[in-house]
Amino acid sequence: MQVLLAQPRGFCAGVVRAIEIVERALERYPHPVYVLHEIVHNRYVVDDLKNRGAIFVESLDDVPEGSVCIFSAHGVATSVVKQAGQRELAVIDATCPLVTKVHVQAQRYIKKGYELVIIGHQGHPEVEGTRGCVDGTVHVLCTVDEVMNLQVADPDKLAYVTQTTLSVDDTRDVIEALKQRFPNVQGPDLNDICYATQNRQNAVRELTKMVDILLVVGAQNSSNSNRLREVGALQGIQSYLIQDETDLQQSWFETSSKVGISAGASAPEVLVNQVLAQLKAWGVNQVETMDGEEETTVFKIPAELLK
């Protein structure tokens, strides 16, 4: 068997920044350091940080007053920020700058009197954070059918923003449907959508032209990892989302000579290496990396952690 690795794959700049924020906080402040929600959607990353002293909570009620608390990369609602202030928490915000940009866009539209559409998945932490950062009418949808059934107060006062872990391809049909139904709808440029999500999907699309089977390393609750598997399946090849090498089944590879591997934006390279080690034990004798986009984006660490 041969393996071809997607390029790019794995950690994006927002994930690298979020993890580094927790690591630096653990070095700088007395333990425990609290993190609201999973810092990123990956069990390996979360367990590693737990072992180093981070405590992950789902509610600020579980954080003792005055403690250090980190907000996850997905962002939080304004009410959460206020609650943290009331509890006198030392907050460090690990929200991805691209998510913060969406929050600012959403607030700008609401201030201008627009109803807001969030193109994204109901219940996703990022979507809930965006919904909770504005005080106005918000609709969450992700399909053309939902656009067709959308009822708004004023068709000429409607705007949209998108969940960053969706790509241009994921949102194109929905945005087009919005523009057809509501010709005056306002929204950001397509290049405002997360570069990392689009790059990884483009790479998988190219990868599937050269392999028989696709493995996507990532968490089951990772939106972008699930979408990478779907992209592979839409290209007509067997595609599997795996947490790590323990999810592999040798029977998958009985008729496959070329295996493609990608990884979600919150999946560390160590997991890819563990998958490769198992595949080598099953007969892989060649591993190559495809040509692809070299990502150079770096996001700044909060100033209080640089002192």
Side-chain angles (χ1 to χ4, degrees):
M1 284 193 298
Q2 298 175 333
V3 167
L4 188 58
L5 298 172
Q7 173 63 33
R9 65 181 181 277
F11 280 176
C12 63
V15 167
V16 170
R17 175 180 180 270
I19 294 171
E20 185 176 352
I21 284 173
V22 180
E23 291 173 338
R24 284 179 179 250
L26 288 170
E27 293 172 358
R28 181 174 177 82
Y29 300 105
H31 294 184
V33 168
Y34 292 85
V35 184
L36 182 62
H37 308 311
E38 291 186 344
I39 187 68
V40 295
H41 284 158
N42 188 273
R43 185 179 61 197
Y44 179 94
V45 171
V46 170
D47 287 347
D48 178 59
L49 294 172
K50 279 182 181 178
N51 291 336
R52 292 156 72 175
I55 296 179
F56 290 84
V57 297
E58 290 303 312
S59 170
L60 289 186
D61 293 335
D62 298 323
V63 181
E65 289 192 10
S67 298
V68 174
C69 183
I70 299 171
F71 293 158
S72 80
H74 306 103
V76 299
T78 303
S79 60
V80 175
V81 177
K82 290 180 179 178
Q83 184 184 1
Q86 291 166 355
R87 296 179 64 81
E88 298 184 344
L89 302 181
V91 169
I92 305 172
D93 191 357
T95 302
C96 174
L98 295 179
V99 175
T100 300
K101 184 177 181 180
V102 172
H103 286 193
V104 172
Q105 290 169 337
Q107 290 163 351
R108 186 181 301 129
Y109 289 133
I110 290 293
K111 286 179 181 177
K112 291 181 178 179
Y114 288 90
E115 282 185 57
L116 184 69
V117 170
I118 302 175
I119 302 173
H121 300 296
Q122 286 273 8
H124 188 281
E126 181 189 328
V127 170
E128 294 309 305
T130 303
R131 185 206 293 262
C133 80
V134 296
D135 185 15
T137 302
V138 178
H139 310 271
V140 178
L141 53 81
C142 62
T143 68
V144 171
D145 285 345
E146 288 173 313
V147 173
M148 294 300 105
N149 293 322
L150 179 63
Q151 300 298 318
V152 300
D154 183 352
D156 293 325
K157 296 289 285 184
L158 184 67
Y160 68 86
V161 294
T162 66
Q163 181 180 330
T164 64
T165 48
L166 299 178
S167 71
V168 173
D169 298 329
D170 296 330
T171 57
R172 182 179 287 112
D173 290 346
V174 175
I175 292 173
E176 186 57 36
L178 278 171
K179 289 180 177 178
Q180 287 183 1
R181 271 207 73 195
F182 309 102
N184 292 323
V185 67
Q186 301 292 305
D189 294 333
L190 285 179
N191 60 13
D192 284 342
I193 290 175
C194 177
Y195 75 94
T197 300
Q198 188 65 52
N199 287 349
R200 280 151 188 72
Q201 290 188 16
N202 290 344
V204 164
R205 238 175 243 108
E206 289 301 311
L207 184 65
T208 56
K209 298 175 183 177
M210 299 175 275
V211 299
D212 308 314
I213 184 173
L214 173 69
L215 306 176
V216 176
V217 182
Q220 296 295 324
N221 63 335
S222 165
S223 174
N224 75 87
S225 297
N226 276 282
R227 186 62 182 128
L228 289 177
R229 187 207 63 78
E230 292 171 6
V231 168
L234 288 170
Q235 303 306 306
I237 69 168
Q238 281 185 294
S239 301
Y240 300 97
L241 176 60
I242 58 174
Q243 302 255 23
D244 52 36
E245 80 283 2
T246 63
D247 286 342
L248 292 171
Q249 297 183 30
Q250 196 165 3
S251 60
W252 294 348
F253 310 99
E254 290 175 352
T255 59
S256 301
S257 60
K258 293 186 178 180
V259 180
I261 299 178
S262 185
S266 52
E269 188 68 5
V270 63
L271 297 182
V272 174
N273 291 334
Q274 290 171 3
V275 169
L276 284 174
Q278 181 61 74
L279 293 178
K280 287 176 180 176
W282 289 344
V284 164
N285 54 19
Q286 184 178 344
V287 179
E288 297 180 6
T289 300
M290 66 178 284
D291 294 331
E293 183 104 11
E294 292 285 344
E295 294 178 344
T296 58
T297 301
V298 176
F299 293 135
K300 292 181 179 178
I301 298 296
E304 64 264 35
L305 295 176
L306 294 175
K307 298 175 184 176

